[in-house]
Amino acid sequence: MAHGCLQGVKYLMFAFNLLFWLGGCGILGVGIWLAATQGNFATLSSSFPSLSAANLLIVAGTFVTAIGFVGCIGAVKENKCLLLAFFVMLLLVFLLETSLAILFFAYTDKIDRYAQRDLKKGLHLYGTPGNVGLTNAWSIIQTDFRCCGVSNYTDWFEVYNATRVPDSCCLEFSESCGLHAPGTWWKAPCYETVKVWLQENLLAVGVFGLCTALVQILGLTFAMTMYCQVVKADAYCA
């Protein structure tokens, strides 16, 4: 009876970790593809130049793939050390995500102020050598969200030391249109515009977060259940 229960948990654990591992490979693959094909699209932050979507996906995909691999081998081999290692790693990831979420909501105002300062600082790197990614990122955001600057189009005046903005701020794009009158530029602040867009899609973000948490809790449950079954089986055989 105990052996049959162990085999059932083993198959569930293996199937779960196989999907977990494949998901990690998928995330890693998308990150590598973004880095290879969209390498010019980087972060807007001047303080964290490596904090791009591609790099985040590569790091996340590597961690998920590694954790899933450990879980798969642990399930196949019925190895207590690997099962416990999988449980501990997944638990640490879960606790880290939970802590970051709590800190984010607790310090939203401070994060807002810091983010705006950092973004304004990053504007001065726009169009400079070696910052093609940041330049492209700002151009895409201002064009897609129909906004200009971090808190106002006047943010660009300090960058250029003149009354002008990038051409991506123009209502109708044309060469050197950023030198025209302010009436031809987008007036909406990019920071608030993107923030409103995120708030409007908060439900989707919340559902994704809950699904991620549920998957991790299932993984923790399967791992600990199988670990206990293996310990019982070893004790029975002894």
Side-chain angles (χ1 to χ4, degrees):
M1 179 69 178
H3 179 72
C5 184
L6 176 59
Q7 289 302 308
V9 176
K10 175 181 176 179
Y11 292 136
L12 282 173
M13 180 72 178
F14 177 75
F16 173 85
N17 280 286
L18 181 61
L19 291 173
F20 201 76
W21 180 78
L22 289 173
C25 289
I27 295 170
L28 181 60
V30 171
I32 293 171
W33 175 78
L34 276 176
T37 61
Q38 309 291 326
N40 289 335
F41 188 88
T43 177
L44 299 174
S45 173
S46 59
S47 302
F48 305 99
S50 298
L51 196 65
S52 65
N55 289 342
L56 287 175
L57 288 173
I58 289 172
V59 171
T62 301
F63 271 106
V64 172
T65 302
I67 293 173
F69 180 76
V70 170
C72 281
I73 301 301
V76 171
K77 297 292 185 180
E78 298 180 11
N79 186 292
K80 289 183 291 184
C81 291
L82 290 177
L83 289 170
L84 194 58
F86 170 81
F87 178 86
V88 170
M89 286 190 292
L90 193 57
L91 180 61
L92 288 174
V93 170
F94 180 76
L95 292 175
L96 177 62
E97 291 171 348
T98 304
S99 299
L100 287 174
I102 293 171
L103 288 172
F104 176 80
F105 287 109
Y107 296 99
T108 300
D109 292 338
K110 289 185 178 180
I111 293 171
D112 267 349
R113 289 194 293 271
Y114 174 80
Q116 290 187 62
R117 283 199 306 270
D118 190 53
L119 289 171
K120 287 180 180 179
K121 184 180 174 183
L123 292 182
H124 291 272
L125 300 176
Y126 185 89
T128 58
N131 289 292
V132 178
L134 183 142
T135 301
N136 288 346
W138 267 113
S139 296
I140 291 170
I141 285 175
Q142 292 185 143
T143 301
D144 290 353
F145 285 92
R146 300 181 175 185
C147 59
C148 190
V150 178
S151 56
N152 195 287
Y153 64 83
T154 57
D155 293 337
W156 291 108
F157 294 176
E158 296 179 18
V159 177
Y160 290 110
N161 290 318
T163 307
R164 66 165 297 185
V165 296
D167 293 343
S168 56
C169 279
C170 298
L171 298 173
E172 293 185 12
F173 178 84
S174 62
E175 194 68 31
S176 299
C177 62
L179 292 169
H180 297 168
T184 63
W185 307 331
W186 299 115
K187 299 296 190 299
C190 287
Y191 188 84
E192 287 301 322
T193 302
V194 174
K195 188 176 175 181
V196 168
W197 179 82
L198 288 172
Q199 289 172 344
E200 289 174 349
N201 292 275
L202 199 59
L203 179 61
V205 174
V207 169
F208 176 78
L210 286 174
C211 289
T212 302
L214 180 61
V215 167
Q216 292 172 343
I217 291 169
L218 283 174
L220 291 169
T221 304
F222 287 148
M224 187 49 65
T225 301
M226 186 171 181
Y227 176 81
C228 292
Q229 290 296 329
V230 170
V231 170
K232 286 181 181 178
D234 289 348
Y236 179 78
C237 292

